[in-house]
Amino acid sequence: MSSSKHSSALRRLALSVLQPGFVGTEAPDWILRDIGDGLASVVLFSRNIVSTEQVARLTGQLRAENPDLIVAIDEEAGDVTRIESATGSSRPGNFALGTVDDAELTEAVAADLGRQLRAAGVSLDYAPSADVNSNPDNPIIGVRSFGSDPDVVSRHTSAWIRGLQSSGVAACAKHFPGHGDVAVDSHHDLPSYPAGREEIAAQALPPFRAAVAAGVRAVMSGHLLVPAYDPDLPATLSRRILHGLLREELGYDGLVVSDAIEMGAVTRRHGIDGATVKAVAAGVDAVCVGGESAEEATVALLVKALTTAVTGGELPEERLADAADRVREFARWSAGLRAAGDAGTTAGVGDGIGHIAARRAVRLTGAARAALPLTAAPHVVELAPVTNMAVGKETPWGVAGPLRERLPGTTSVRVRGQELEEGTVALERAALGPAAGRPLVIVARDVARHAWMSRAVTGLTAARPDAIVVEMGLPGTATTAAAQIFTHGASAASGVAAAEILTTTSAG
């Protein structure tokens, strides 16, 4: 083969192992050109989405260049939603489903989501999170997990995969080998999971074993250091973890996808180009990029890094070719899955299963039951934390909106920790004053993880012992004296469920 032909073939291989994002609700010319040149996947984010119909037009435009193109999305439902980022998810997330602990319900919710994604032309969903949230201070997983019990998480990971794939959309179990017991957000720096191998086998790996048994064909690596397997390199860059543990020990033979390669956990030490080369060398088959770095120049940089690494001997060409083969095999399989799913109906999408699931996940203390229903329009104080980057800033959440629909005259204020700390907002003026003579509803998200929020709730409930607290994150420790409602997630469906319970007499 001539050097020019070899360099062209190498470029095709390099393009085929990337899963880039892009900006816009229509396909930019450079993406269409790259698909023609061998790009086998793209990933969609909320910036690409207006409606299911618009996404269907976009994916049709993309697939005109390659009918088997993998179109991925990071859609977990619950707090992390892309397809419904403008409105909030109409389905509860994993923690709510794990709380109900009805595997058939979880399967039905995932199948409902799958029908919506398939109708939009999506073929791969970076979900479910198979992480066991064993550290309540975890800043990145939390309600994205089905829970803290490996058996519960395994059961619902399997059900979610079955449901999604029954609708024609491939699932992707993440974040291998388990991101649940960390205290650092990998978007910013490298978290460490210091457990020994026995603990990892008992705590973190069971949901991934269950995912493989349930027929998952994509697994996403996590950007975390697991010293029991590799003291030097995070999982995404570790052959010991991706090959030794995932392929050899767990017997997994499908596609390995990286978590977003531009995340600080890997780029701070290796750069985006160095991290990409090391990831493919370690066993990643498809490199996800473009949540933040969504330019043509980023794809060109990574293609150059991969081809240069091959010609320079840093990356064996056989490993790059093997990764490309796995991508092609997955593309063929997922196209077949999509076609089989298309034989079904999309009429059931949004048939209310998300609402049913969210309602079933709500829990109340006795004091809350005694205080309901609200008979007058309340003042709602929503305490808003800074969320991790997986949760879209644009995604609405809370209880004030749906409460206002049910009790006209409901007023609300949203307060952030920084405003309280800087003294620009005082709870007396923002909360207690407007609530004088009216019911007070306090909405929080992970009180146990935020000292400022805990102080605010304590102060408000001391001043107003009759206040009702709605916790939309991890429950923490329930105070028996307080009237508390737990939704186990902050999706739009969970907000509606809380509002219904606040305004109905049948709060049982």
Side-chain angles (χ1 to χ4, degrees), residues 4 30-31 57 74 78 84 157 166 213 217 225 293-294 314-315 325 398 421 444 501 504:
S4 64
W30 68 267
I31 276 281
R57 289 193 297 274
D74 187 16
E84 295 183 295
T157 293
S166 73
R217 299 283 288 268
L225 199 65
S293 305
E314 184 186 353
L315 173 64
D325 284 344
E421 288 161 5
I501 282 173
T504 57

Side-chain angles (χ1 to χ4, degrees), residues 10-11 14-15 18 273 276-277 297-311:
L10 261 188
R11 182 171 185 272
L15 272 171
L18 301 179
D273 47 351
T276 296
V277 171
T298 299
V299 173
L301 173 68
L302 300 189
V303 166
K304 184 179 180 184
L306 288 166
T307 55
T308 302
V310 170
T311 55

Side-chain angles (χ1 to χ4, degrees), residues 3 26 52 72 99 134 144 228-229 242 253 292 302 312 318 326 343 349 358 366 385 424 434 443 458 472 490 495 501:
S3 64
E26 295 185 356
T52 301
T99 298
S134 46
R144 299 168 64 193
Y229 285 94
L242 297 184
D253 194 38
E292 298 163 72
L302 300 189
E318 307 82 68
R326 288 184 185 277
V349 174
T424 54
V443 183
T458 300
M472 302 192 80
I501 282 173

Side-chain angles (χ1 to χ4, degrees), residues 25 117 138 146 222 243 285 341-342 364 377 408 442 444 468 475 498 504:
T25 54
L117 294 179
N138 191 324
F146 289 111
H243 186 77
D285 305 308
D342 282 340
L364 290 75
I442 305 161
I468 297 173
T504 57

Side-chain angles (χ1 to χ4, degrees), residues 40 56 59-60 62-64 66-72 114-124 164-171 330-346:
T59 54
L62 292 163
R63 286 212 176 91
N66 174 8
D68 286 353
L69 183 76
I70 300 164
V71 179
R115 288 192 292 271
Q116 183 180 10
L117 294 179
R118 186 198 63 218
V122 170
S123 56
L124 168 62
L164 189 77
Q165 295 192 165
S166 73
S167 293
V169 176
F330 180 87
R332 284 193 296 270
W333 172 78
S334 63
L337 187 71
R338 195 171 76 251
D342 282 340
T345 177
T346 59

Side-chain angles (χ1 to χ4, degrees), residues 346-397:
T346 59
V349 174
D351 61 2
I353 190 67
H355 173 258
I356 291 165
R359 181 72 185 251
R360 285 182 62 187
V362 177
R363 301 290 182 267
L364 290 75
T365 61
R369 291 179 194 279
L372 297 179
L374 297 177
T375 54
H379 182 57
V380 182
V381 180
E382 295 179 333
L383 303 172
V386 176
T387 55
N388 65 66
M389 288 178 66
V391 179
K393 289 181 181 177
E394 74 284 354
T395 304
W397 67 278

Side-chain angles (χ1 to χ4, degrees), residues 183-458:
V184 171
D185 184 343
S186 51
H187 288 93
H188 306 298
D189 210 341
L190 180 62
S192 179
Y193 179 24
R197 290 195 181 197
E198 283 188 13
E199 184 182 336
I200 292 169
Q203 186 73 18
L205 294 181
F208 291 98
R209 292 187 185 277
V212 173
V216 81
R217 299 283 288 268
V219 168
M220 178 177 282
S221 64
H223 298 331
L224 70 160
L225 199 65
V226 190
Y229 285 94
D230 192 328
D232 302 314
L233 292 168
T236 298
L237 312 183
S238 171
R239 182 167 172 80
R240 295 180 193 176
I241 292 173
L242 297 184
H243 186 77
L245 178 58
L246 179 57
R247 293 222 184 274
E248 292 185 345
E249 191 174 321
L250 268 63
Y252 175 68
D253 194 38
L255 188 74
V256 176
V257 183
S258 78
D259 204 347
I261 205 68
E262 65 263 50
M263 287 165 63
V266 289
T267 58
R268 281 174 65 128
R269 290 160 180 79
H270 307 284
I272 191 171
D273 47 351
T276 296
V277 171
K278 288 179 184 300
V280 175
V284 165
D285 305 308
V287 176
C288 171
V289 63
E292 298 163 72
S293 305
E295 307 80 23
E296 180 181 7
T298 299
V299 173
L301 173 68
L302 300 189
V303 166
K304 184 179 180 184
L306 288 166
T307 55
T308 302
V310 170
T311 55
E314 184 186 353
L315 173 64
E317 187 170 346
E318 307 82 68
R319 166 78 278 263
L320 184 61
D322 172 61
D325 284 344
R326 288 184 185 277
V327 170
R328 274 193 294 272
E329 181 186 351
F330 180 87
R332 284 193 296 270
W333 172 78
S334 63
L337 187 71
R338 195 171 76 251
D342 282 340
T345 177
T346 59
V349 174
D351 61 2
I353 190 67
H355 173 258
I356 291 165
R359 181 72 185 251
R360 285 182 62 187
V362 177
R363 301 290 182 267
L364 290 75
T365 61
R369 291 179 194 279
L372 297 179
L374 297 177
T375 54
H379 182 57
V380 182
V381 180
E382 295 179 333
L383 303 172
V386 176
T387 55
N388 65 66
M389 288 178 66
V391 179
K393 289 181 181 177
E394 74 284 354
T395 304
W397 67 278
V399 178
L403 255 184
R404 198 171 289 114
E405 292 176 13
R406 288 156 180 80
L407 287 174
T410 294
T411 56
S412 66
V413 63
R414 183 161 285 190
V415 179
R416 293 164 178 81
Q418 187 177 358
E419 295 169 327
L420 291 180
E421 288 161 5
E422 293 176 352
T424 54
V425 169
L427 289 178
E428 291 76 12
R429 290 197 306 273
L432 297 175
R438 306 165 55 193
L440 174 62
V441 177
I442 305 161
V443 183
R445 203 167 172 179
D446 290 326
V447 167
R449 284 196 52 244
H450 302 284
W452 71 268
M453 197 181 295
S454 179
R455 288 192 299 270
V457 171
T458 300

